[in-house]
């Protein structure tokens, strides 16, 4: 497994991360197998959130690996906060209490990375900064980032922070590419030319912020996977063609497509199937040419200007 550096931090982590949203559905034994398999493959970065399984995913994870100082040194833990039932909350009190909950459920003294989840329209950046400063000073969080934020939201927050934001977690897959579409259709009057995020991909590259790709196999927001989905024959035919050519699976090609981008994007893979992760992990050694990358992009239904 290749490594990448998260943003401007000193964290050297696995190029592919395991997302633990669905871990609450597993038994302790099955969850242990999932995590041990990931570590055997070189996947050492685990993505959580306080809302995953209403907190149970973090608990199952900690129980599954029998969290202790020895195992903690081998892994990197990221969690997220800010989503509450019916609203978003970036208040100082909520951020601090959320982290206390994260740490308690994960049975650890610190998070490597804390992300603010969906943007809070009522965010007061001074409060967020106070929360971050306190959490870092107490050794409870090493680094901070965001999820689903645009450049000006990040700029507003950064104005008050002592440390750099190192991550922005955004939805990205072959069937969800607005970050890329707008950059290819500059000054065009078509649908793809609509800039929905104010150039977030370029902003993150300019500011040394790692983009993490969530739902890398999904189309739409929560509609489902496009891999082996008969509704998407063209992209699956192209994935199969390249998978056979490279000696890997369709899923590995879909991840290799994300890894090929020069922004050094880190895919967050949410599979709880150890065998599937074994196949996906091979993407880290798949080299796609520029032409192949664009072939996949076009097969996903995109038209170049």
């Amino acid at each position: 497994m290749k490594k990448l550096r998260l943003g401007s931090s000193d964290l050297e982590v696995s190029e592919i991360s395991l997302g633990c949203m669905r871990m609450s559905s597993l038994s302790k034994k099955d969850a242990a197998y999932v995590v041990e398999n990931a570590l055997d493959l070189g996947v050492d970065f685990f993505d959580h959130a306080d809302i995953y399984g209403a907190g149970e995913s973090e608990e199952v994870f900690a129980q599954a690996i029998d969290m202790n100082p020895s195992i903690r040194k081998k892994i990197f833990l990221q969690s997220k906060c800010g989503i509450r039932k019916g609203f978003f909350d970036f208040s100082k009190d909520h951020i601090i209490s959320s982290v206390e909950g994260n740490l308690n459920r994960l049975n650890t003294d610190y998070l490597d990375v804390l992300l603010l989840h969906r943007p809070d329209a009522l965010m007061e950046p001074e409060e967020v900064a106070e929360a971050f400063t306190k959490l870092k000073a107490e050794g409870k969080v090493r680094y901070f980032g965001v999820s689903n934020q645009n450049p000006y939201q990040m700029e507003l927050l950064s104005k008050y922070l002592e440390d750099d934001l190192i991550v922005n977690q955004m939805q990205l897959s072959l069937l969800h590419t607005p970050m890329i579409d707008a950059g290819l259709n500059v000054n065009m009057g078509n649908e793809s030319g609509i800039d929905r995020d104010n150039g977030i991909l370029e902003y993150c590259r300019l500011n040394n912020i790692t983009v993490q790709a969530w739902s890398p196999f999904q189309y739409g927001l929560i509609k489902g996977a496009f891999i082996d989905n008969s509704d998407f024959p063209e992209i699956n035919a192209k994935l199969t063609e390249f998978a056979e050519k490279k000696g890997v699976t369709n899923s590995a090609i879909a991840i290799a497509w994300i890894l090929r981008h020069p922004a050094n994007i880190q895919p967050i893979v949410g599979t709880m199937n150890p065998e599937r992760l074994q196949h996906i992990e091979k993407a880290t050694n798949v080299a796609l040419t520029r032409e192949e990358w664009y072939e996949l992009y076009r097969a996903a239904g995109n038209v170049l200007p």
Side-chain angles (χ1 to χ4, degrees):
M1 170 65 65
K2 294 179 181 178
K3 299 286 187 176
L4 61 77
R5 183 183 294 272
L6 281 185
S8 58
S9 77
D10 63 355
L11 302 182
E12 293 281 348
V13 304
S14 55
E15 192 173 41
I16 296 172
S17 166
L18 184 67
C20 299
M21 183 173 71
R22 299 179 180 88
M23 190 160 282
S24 61
S25 65
L26 303 183
S27 66
K28 177 181 177 180
K29 179 180 178 180
D30 288 343
Y33 183 37
V34 168
V35 178
E36 289 166 5
N37 174 69
L39 292 172
D40 287 343
L41 295 172
V43 176
D44 59 13
F45 191 89
F46 300 90
D47 177 67
H48 294 271
D50 55 2
I51 64 168
Y52 292 167
E56 191 175 347
S57 289
E58 291 179 323
E59 292 178 350
V60 172
F61 179 90
Q63 294 166 7
I65 64 172
D66 187 24
M67 186 73 80
N68 59 69
S70 177
I71 189 68
R72 184 64 182 91
K73 293 178 181 178
K74 300 177 182 179
I75 63 177
F76 298 91
L77 293 178
Q78 172 175 280
S79 198
K80 299 182 285 294
C81 71
I83 297 180
R84 304 184 70 175
K85 190 173 182 180
F87 66 106
F88 303 131
D89 188 351
F90 286 0
S91 66
K92 177 182 177 180
D93 289 345
H94 181 67
I95 292 172
I96 291 173
S97 65
S98 292
V99 170
E100 294 292 350
N102 296 137
L103 298 180
N104 182 59
R105 291 187 295 272
L106 287 166
N107 192 25
T108 185
D109 296 327
Y110 67 96
L111 295 175
D112 293 289
V113 188
L114 173 70
L115 305 185
L116 298 177
H117 222 151
R118 290 280 173 183
D120 175 12
L122 303 181
M123 177 185 77
E124 297 181 55
E126 300 92 336
E127 272 201 53
V128 175
E130 289 176 10
F132 283 8
T133 298
K134 178 178 173 62
L135 290 168
K136 183 161 186 178
E138 294 175 349
K140 294 177 180 178
V141 180
R142 297 176 67 189
Y143 296 100
F144 301 90
V146 297
S147 183
N148 308 298
Q149 291 203 14
N150 67 38
Y152 279 106
Q153 290 168 327
M154 298 179 75
E155 279 285 305
L156 175 61
L157 185 54
S158 295
K159 177 181 178 181
Y160 298 90
L161 299 180
E162 296 180 359
D163 298 316
D164 295 337
L165 295 170
I166 68 166
V167 165
N168 190 6
Q169 193 173 115
M170 301 283 288
Q171 185 178 8
L172 175 67
S173 75
L174 268 165
L175 268 292
H176 185 88
T177 56
M179 282 193 292
I180 294 170
D181 301 340
L184 286 171
N185 291 270
V186 175
N187 199 34
M188 301 290 290
N190 55 16
E191 175 74 13
S192 296
I194 298 174
D195 189 348
R196 292 178 168 83
D197 55 34
N198 297 313
I200 187 61
L201 191 56
E202 291 78 11
Y203 175 87
C204 287
R205 294 181 71 181
L206 284 168
N207 290 277
N208 198 22
I209 297 168
T210 297
V211 173
Q212 294 177 335
W214 60 269
S215 290
F217 303 115
Q218 299 286 311
Y219 68 96
L221 182 59
I222 53 173
K223 292 183 178 180
F226 62 84
I227 301 288
D228 298 327
N229 187 327
S230 60
D231 290 338
F232 306 101
E234 188 174 353
I235 185 58
N236 277 289
K238 186 60 66 174
L239 286 169
T240 298
E241 176 189 333
F242 286 171
E244 292 175 352
K245 179 180 178 181
K246 309 285 185 181
V248 295
T249 63
N250 290 14
S251 295
I253 296 296
I255 293 299
W257 183 84
I258 294 174
L259 294 175
R260 174 63 178 81
H261 197 282
N264 292 321
I265 298 167
Q266 183 187 40
I268 307 293
V269 176
T271 182
M272 293 291 100
N273 183 324
E275 183 178 1
R276 187 156 186 254
L277 185 61
Q278 291 167 18
H279 294 312
I280 292 170
E281 180 272 337
K282 297 184 185 304
T284 194
N285 293 313
V286 172
L288 292 177
T289 67
R290 188 182 301 266
E291 183 178 6
E292 289 170 336
W293 189 91
Y294 276 102
E295 282 187 62
L296 287 163
Y297 180 74
R298 296 199 313 274
N302 298 294
V303 178
L304 296 179

